[in-house]
Amino acid sequence: MPSNEGLITLARRFRVLIAGASYGGLSAALTLLDLSRGKLARFNYDSEIKPPQYHIPVDITLVDEKDGFYHLIGSPRALADEQYASDTWTRFGDIKALQSPHVRFIRGSVSAIDCKSKTATILDSVSKTSREEGYDFFIAGTGLRRVFPTVPQSRTREEFLAEVRRYTADVVNARQGVVVVGGGAVGTEMATEIKLLYPQLNVTLIHSRDRLLAAEPLPDEFKDRVGAVIRETGVELILGQRVVSTTAVEEKTGRVWSLTLADGRVIKAGHVLSAVSRCTPTSSYLPPQALDDEGHVRIQPSLQFPSTIANASHHFAVGDLAAWSGIKRCGAAMHMGHYAGYNIYQLMLAKCVASKPAFQELQEIPPMIGLCLGKTAVSYHPVDGVKDGEDILASMFGDDMAYKVCWNYMRLAEPWDA
């Protein structure tokens, strides 16, 4: 029947289960909340799309191992700055945009899904029990399993802040300096953030290849500029050398680490951080037929599972777990989450009023990146080329490694019914 806002409220209620409540999962949930209430999705910038005419009741369940949203981009600073870290982890219960009677959180993990029966097995971290959960639509957004210190290993805000205190103490007390091993995106940002926060420390970044970010499909001009900027921050950069051994040595001033490089050089450090990328998809709960050789979900442009999977149209994957072109970034994850939420709404509408779904579909995403390197940033986009400077830092990251950029983009501080 018509609502007070002129919307037509449909009788059928849909259940949406989302595994993973980071950038992609939250964006999908927020898109569904907006559309189901007859509003344009908060991420929509397409003037051709009109507000929905129907209010479709939806119940959203988010399952995540953590008790809150963690700003992953900020890890290089969060793990060395307790005050900043406190801002980057927000309990789900404290996020106003998600305080809806139609949204619930389960701290735990999805251990299996049955696409044919549309049932998930969920292991609850609090009760330590396993249960079955039925759904109408499922979104896989659990991302990649990353090792410390690329990301914190904590599952609760309290554990996270304790982890930060231990990490910070190790860095601050490293009288013989800090060595970061691995010159990917995380290593470059980690080394420069430590140097920015603790300028009195000697910071060294060691990378086995002749250029930084060797694994990324980015132009040499960008990689060389990143190297130049890192040196300008005061970080010592050693390229083309592999660390062949790391040994703890007890000295009068305490324990130090002795690193032997491939060319025979020996470097001593008060603390060593490994930023060597070891990321594995968290897709063991998904049907193997939906995955590529690396364990990513082989999505269609609509974000749906491969058509060979049972009920493929009801199953979606977003973010780092999805096999799609482009470098893994939070911006891409939010974009995918928006599209998945929009497409699910289209399918729900089609089931209620016999309309034809009008999907939003992903286009090929070219390689692009932005790195926060101390007081400046370096970016690459295929149209704009390589850019760097304080203005790039301000526009891409602000003064908090893009925490407010992402928080405000998702409008997490706005009440869900505003």
Side-chain angles (χ1 to χ4, degrees), residues 340-380:
Y342 181 91
N343 292 344
I344 287 174
Y345 177 83
Q346 288 289 311
L347 289 167
M348 293 190 300
L349 187 63
K351 288 180 181 294
C352 293
V353 299
S355 63
K356 183 179 180 180
F359 288 156
Q360 297 269 28
E361 295 193 338
L362 289 178
Q363 304 299 314
E364 290 296 308
I365 302 175
M368 63 183 79
I369 196 171
L371 292 179
C372 180
L373 303 174
K375 294 182 178 180
T376 189
V378 184
S379 68
Y380 168 74

Side-chain angles (χ1 to χ4, degrees), residues 307-417:
S307 58
T308 53
I309 302 299
N311 289 314
S313 62
H314 294 74
H315 294 80
F316 294 72
V318 300
D320 291 355
L321 197 61
W324 200 255
S325 56
I327 294 172
K328 304 295 186 185
R329 299 176 300 112
C330 81
M334 290 188 284
H335 180 63
M336 289 179 175
H338 169 214
Y339 275 17
Y342 181 91
N343 292 344
I344 287 174
Y345 177 83
Q346 288 289 311
L347 289 167
M348 293 190 300
L349 187 63
K351 288 180 181 294
C352 293
V353 299
S355 63
K356 183 179 180 180
F359 288 156
Q360 297 269 28
E361 295 193 338
L362 289 178
Q363 304 299 314
E364 290 296 308
I365 302 175
M368 63 183 79
I369 196 171
L371 292 179
C372 180
L373 303 174
K375 294 182 178 180
T376 189
V378 184
S379 68
Y380 168 74
H381 188 279
V383 175
D384 300 327
V386 178
K387 292 186 176 181
D388 68 275
E390 294 182 5
D391 58 330
I392 303 299
L393 177 71
S395 64
M396 294 190 71
F397 296 98
D399 59 0
D400 57 8
M401 295 197 78
Y403 169 71
K404 286 193 289 288
V405 171
C406 294
W407 182 272
N408 293 336
Y409 180 64
M410 290 189 282
R411 289 159 49 182
L412 296 179
E414 294 183 14
W416 75 277
D417 55 354

Side-chain angles (χ1 to χ4, degrees), residues 72-359:
L72 182 63
I73 300 171
S75 281
R77 181 180 300 177
L79 287 171
D81 183 342
E82 188 175 350
Q83 181 56 52
Y84 174 74
S86 180
D87 293 333
T88 61
W89 188 301
T90 308
R91 293 186 189 91
F92 293 124
D94 295 329
I95 299 177
K96 290 183 179 179
L98 299 169
Q99 301 316 298
S100 163
H102 309 297
V103 177
R104 66 172 172 144
F105 291 92
I106 299 174
R107 188 157 76 82
S109 58
V110 175
S111 58
I113 64 166
D114 185 330
C115 295
K116 188 173 182 179
S117 66
K118 291 192 282 188
T119 304
T121 303
I122 299 175
L123 177 61
D124 191 306
S125 298
V126 179
S127 66
K128 307 299 182 184
T129 60
S130 182
R131 70 170 183 268
E132 302 295 308
E133 183 90 17
Y135 58 83
D136 296 302
F137 296 95
F138 178 81
I139 301 176
T142 47
L144 307 178
R145 185 74 66 192
R146 296 176 169 90
V147 298
F148 180 87
T150 302
V151 298
Q153 301 303 294
S154 306
R155 296 292 178 255
T156 68
R157 177 178 162 81
E158 289 77 10
E159 293 171 354
F160 167 62
L161 294 178
E163 186 178 1
V164 168
R165 284 191 289 272
R166 293 191 299 270
Y167 177 98
T168 302
D170 289 338
V171 170
V172 172
N173 296 326
R175 296 179 181 177
Q176 295 208 37
V178 174
V179 168
V180 178
V181 180
V186 173
T188 56
E189 292 189 327
M190 188 181 296
T192 51
E193 284 300 316
I194 292 173
K195 188 64 179 178
L196 176 66
L197 292 167
Y198 308 103
Q200 76 281 6
L201 289 177
N202 292 322
V203 180
T204 303
L205 176 61
I206 302 174
H207 188 54
S208 61
R209 304 295 183 88
D210 292 331
R211 280 191 170 94
L212 297 166
L213 294 109
E216 301 292 359
L218 296 164
D220 290 345
E221 179 190 357
F222 172 80
K223 299 175 181 181
D224 292 342
R225 187 59 193 140
V226 170
V229 169
I230 287 174
R231 288 190 171 97
E232 290 168 7
T233 68
V235 172
E236 181 182 356
L237 183 58
I238 299 176
L239 296 174
Q241 289 298 319
R242 188 175 299 278
V243 176
V244 295
S245 68
T246 304
T247 307
V249 180
E250 297 296 337
E251 296 187 351
K252 291 182 179 180
T253 56
R255 175 177 291 186
V256 299
W257 298 91
S258 178
L259 292 86
T260 302
L261 306 185
D263 64 359
R265 270 184 290 174
V266 176
I267 296 174
K268 288 188 175 182
H271 190 51
V272 179
L273 293 166
S274 174
V276 178
S277 178
R278 290 192 297 274
C279 302
T280 55
T282 56
S283 55
S284 59
Y285 59 94
L286 299 175
Q289 299 88 347
L291 310 178
D292 66 11
D293 292 340
E294 295 180 349
H296 297 91
V297 182
R298 296 182 289 108
I299 58 169
Q300 302 178 57
S302 59
L303 283 303
Q304 292 165 315
F305 277 23
S307 58
T308 53
I309 302 299
N311 289 314
S313 62
H314 294 74
H315 294 80
F316 294 72
V318 300
D320 291 355
L321 197 61
W324 200 255
S325 56
I327 294 172
K328 304 295 186 185
R329 299 176 300 112
C330 81
M334 290 188 284
H335 180 63
M336 289 179 175
H338 169 214
Y339 275 17
Y342 181 91
N343 292 344
I344 287 174
Y345 177 83
Q346 288 289 311
L347 289 167
M348 293 190 300
L349 187 63
K351 288 180 181 294
C352 293
V353 299
S355 63
K356 183 179 180 180
F359 288 156

